Amino acid sequence: MAADAVFRIAGLKKSFGPNQVLSGVGLELRSGEVAVLMGANGAGKSTLVKVMSGVHAPDGGAMMLGGRVFSPKSPAEAIRAGVVTVHQNINDGVVAALDVATNLTLDRLSGKGAAALFNPRRVQREARAVAERMGLDVDLKASIADLSLADRQMVAIARAMAHEPKVLILDEPTSSLSSAEANRLFSLIERLKEHGVAILYISHRMSDIRRLADRIVSLRDGAIAGTFEARPLDYEGAVNAMLGRTVQHGTVEARAAGETVFTADRLAIAEGVLPISLTLGAGELVAVTGLVGVGKTALAETLFGLRAPRAGTMTLDGKAYAPQSPRDAIEAGVFLVAKDRAENGIVGDFNVYENMSLPFLRRISAFGVSRRGAERALARGQIKDLGIVCRSEKDELATLSGGNQQKVMVARWLAQPARLMMLDEPFQGVDIAARRDIAAKLRAEAAGRATLIFVTELDEALETADRILVMSEHTIVGEHRNGAIDMDRLLAEVAGQKRRAA
Amino acid sequence: MSPRELAVRYGFLVLFAALVIYFALAAPGFVSPQSAVFVFQSVAITGVLALGVTATLVVGGFDLSIGSVATSSMMAAAYAMVVLDQGVFVAVAACLAIGIIVGLINGFLIVYMRVPDLLATLGMMFLLVGLQRIPTEGRSIAAGMTMPDGSVAPGKFSEAFLTLGRHRFDFFTPNLVPVSVVVLIVLAVLIWFFLEYTRFGRMMYAVGSNERAAELAGAPVKAYKIWAYVISGIFASIGGILLAARLGRGDIASGNNLLLDAVAAALIGFAVLGASKPNAFGTAIGALFVGVLLQGLTMMNAPYYTQDFVKGAVLVVALVFTFALSAKAKR
């Protein structure tokens, strides 16, 4: 019954300050069809969702809902018009302190014309009606706080469905669900399709996408990079369109690895996943790539002592290596530039040199007293080395651009010699010039240590690494030497086709 | 530097200077060594407590139990000397032990039991307020008091202990500077150096500003947090020793204002030099600011019952400096 578009977007534009996030997006959603929206971090997915759900007003372009202009001024207005969004954070969709029945009817309790007095019996009656329509099998009297994440998600969706929407937007609904829980969600989605709802499903999980998609739309840099609806669906093409490939092969001259620095043997980084074995040599720069949520950060955190492996062993320089904390890892010479610098890296109250000296303050202190002269000299050296643009080493970090902030984060860990240097999404929110600088610095100083970077964008891996490992479902599924890459095979591996490289 | 930045950075110090000049002109006798010492003495105990609570503010926490730690220490010192007939050494050791133990318990509750800092220390505050009354069944402790069983307490405050409260060092004029003021100044310099110049202090600031980043940089975050509460507890118990030495008895009703005054001083300290964060120098200035203001007003015959109002007003103004005017607040 996929026929006319219920919802149509054309030329949608949105900027935040000088940042153009959406540069003319066109999209159609059809009744009874699941359209999957794919896009890397920063591609503009969340902004698109927020414009559609009335959180942000677009700067240009038009949205049509059922043939009429749709320009919601608030989320409430979008919902009334029939465009309902279930956000990624499940707890945004439910009120934990209340029971299921109240949650299911919450919007009627607070809407215009709602009775001032609360009638528990009516709430129960209405909630039961909603639950029956949705095939929701949850105790209506249970408190949300006692439910599993999956049940909460179901309640959030059922609550959204109580509005009888024409368009339902699901933003990464399975990101915190197990596969069994996800299956329940999928049957619910099937049921919604039968009801003729147009669904926009946002996800990184290839298994979800294979299961649900009637159509795949790839978003890249704020524009639609490809739409795929011919059967069978071209999953690799969609991944390729989303990740893009703008660099030429062979821009990096792949170097051979020196002596073995780090090995992992049958390392399982989560419950019930295939183990990982890998060897890293001195002087080589290895990139681990894969979609969001395939376990790249989990692998980095396991190597850095932040989480314990479920099984398997690691060695560093031939000796057993089992860090219990980041401190152990750092002392052994394993460093991690964590992703999301604002959250995990920057100390907001500290200036540039204080941020740089953070992990190695002990080594530049004398009898517990920090030697500011030495600290500042070290920072000045790093600023010059990495070309950090700032007035002096005493600048506040917040006055620096994103790229320069990231350089400070990298400089923090380059100050001391490492055995294994890891960088998790080091190019996130970094302009192209800073990205080149950081990559060049990493390659220039790679000698004598193993370097491991975790990146989602394929370009970043191709631009910097000697060797590329592909992750999918919390394990490594492929290995490529840069310069001689079979791109089709690599994309197939990213897209979740299991073909373990020999 | 823009005028706004100048105002934020030096505004509070200028205000402080203006206040001193105004009182010097308006209140005869305000500028004298005796008056200055009186100001210091009036803020000595709250100042010590405020310096301690600054350490917990630095790691992003808060300690509401400091006032009750101080009064519990006071009661413990009195109990040790009057009821148990012990000497000065045992009395002081008992006080410090209380500070350390309460600090460890606070740290344990907050770090390992995940109780929010305000609630954990609020709980400890109530617990201690009650606990300090149990040994004497709610009575104050003084030499020669009658015990619940009818006997008379055997001991008295040792002379050495009372010296802590009564001795005055010669400074320009004989018998000028009391011990409590010296203790305040020494502790202020110590904690200032500790927080600003040692690795330990720097890491505590890192923990308070971005705990996750500090952890990923290899810092034992939990240990730093617990240490902060132990420091706070020790400072509070030193405040309690000074209080007991000054009063010469274990007075159940004293020390009501300690917590609020100390917290106010530490928060006023945020505004000094536009720091916008807890800092020892600011805390000391904050305590002195309140002391000068109250001393000046008293000398100008302002009634005592206006004091809390004045303190509150100063605090509100200082908080506006910190949160609304500073550049950091806008980010």
Side-chain angles (χ1 to χ4, degrees), chain A residues 214-215 227-234:
Chain A
D214 295 313
R215 198 151 54 98
T227 305
F228 304 84
E229 52 187 330
R231 304 269 150 189
L233 284 171
D234 178 9

Side-chain angles (χ1 to χ4, degrees), chain A residues 236 240 245 249-250 458 462 468 470 478-494 497 499 501:
Chain A
E236 280 107 65
N240 194 11
R245 218 169 61 205
H249 286 201
L458 222 42
L462 292 169
I468 296 173
V470 181
E479 178 175 356
H480 305 262
R481 174 148 296 278
N482 203 353
I485 292 177
D486 177 353
M487 281 313 286
D488 293 336
R489 203 185 98 207
L490 194 151
L491 285 169
E493 286 161 357
V494 171
Q497 222 173 71
R499 243 193 300 165

Side-chain angles (χ1 to χ4, degrees), chain A residues 344 346 349 368 370 372 375, chain B residues 196-197 199 202 209-210:
Chain A
N344 299 323
I346 292 170
D349 283 350
S370 52
R372 291 189 184 204
E375 257 179 76
Chain B
E196 298 293 320
Y197 290 97
R199 176 170 63 83
R202 177 85 67 81
S209 178
N210 186 341

Side-chain angles (χ1 to χ4, degrees), chain A residues 166-410:
Chain A
K166 302 184 186 76
V167 176
L168 178 67
I169 304 170
L170 296 168
D171 190 358
E172 298 198 33
T174 54
S175 57
S176 40
L177 302 186
S178 73
S179 55
E181 289 172 333
N183 277 330
R184 289 182 49 205
L185 177 71
F186 297 152
S187 26
L188 180 63
I189 290 174
E190 295 293 337
R191 189 186 268 262
L192 295 177
K193 270 171 73 173
E194 283 162 22
H195 283 273
V197 180
I199 296 169
L200 181 67
Y201 188 95
I202 295 158
S203 180
H204 291 293
R205 273 204 196 174
M206 289 310 299
S207 52
D208 293 12
I209 296 170
R210 285 171 197 279
R211 164 92 191 253
L212 286 174
D214 295 313
R215 198 151 54 98
I216 303 179
V217 180
S218 293
L219 189 69
R220 179 173 170 79
D221 296 335
I224 299 297
T227 305
F228 304 84
E229 52 187 330
R231 304 269 150 189
L233 284 171
D234 178 9
Y235 298 106
E236 280 107 65
V239 169
N240 194 11
M242 154 194 161
L243 297 178
R245 218 169 61 205
T246 47
V247 282
Q248 298 298 310
H249 286 201
T251 47
V252 167
E253 203 174 310
R255 292 171 299 199
E259 88 276 4
T260 299
V261 172
F262 175 88
T263 66
D265 186 35
R266 303 198 59 74
L267 196 69
I269 56 173
E271 204 56 66
V273 302
L274 293 173
I276 295 171
S277 295
L278 66 102
T279 303
L280 303 173
E284 69 169 342
L285 202 157
V286 179
V288 175
T289 190
L291 300 178
V292 171
V294 296
K296 298 193 299 295
T297 297
L299 177 59
E301 288 181 349
T302 307
L303 267 50
F304 194 55
L306 271 168
R307 56 163 80 200
R310 303 296 159 112
T313 55
M314 298 181 272
T315 69
L316 189 69
D317 289 323
K319 293 191 288 273
Y321 170 70
Q324 301 300 308
S325 67
R327 201 179 190 189
D328 288 357
I330 292 166
E331 262 160 35
V334 175
F335 302 164
L336 171 68
V337 178
K339 73 170 173 190
D340 193 358
R341 59 180 173 273
E343 193 99 334
N344 299 323
I346 292 170
V347 177
D349 283 350
F350 282 12
N351 59 30
V352 170
Y353 81 81
E354 287 168 332
N355 260 295
M356 281 189 186
S357 65
L358 190 67
F360 303 114
L361 204 51
R362 181 193 298 267
R363 300 184 198 178
I364 24 180
S365 301
F367 307 106
V369 180
S370 52
R371 287 164 36 222
R372 291 189 184 204
E375 257 179 76
R376 291 178 56 178
L378 207 70
R380 278 196 297 272
Q382 295 277 13
I383 288 170
K384 200 157 144 268
D385 249 24
L386 275 159
I388 298 173
V389 181
C390 59
R391 280 171 308 174
S392 84
E393 71 278 9
K394 285 160 79 180
D395 279 7
E396 300 282 336
L397 264 234
T399 64
L400 271 55
S401 72
N404 284 305
Q405 291 183 358
Q406 186 66 24
K407 284 181 179 179
V408 172
M409 292 298 106
V410 175

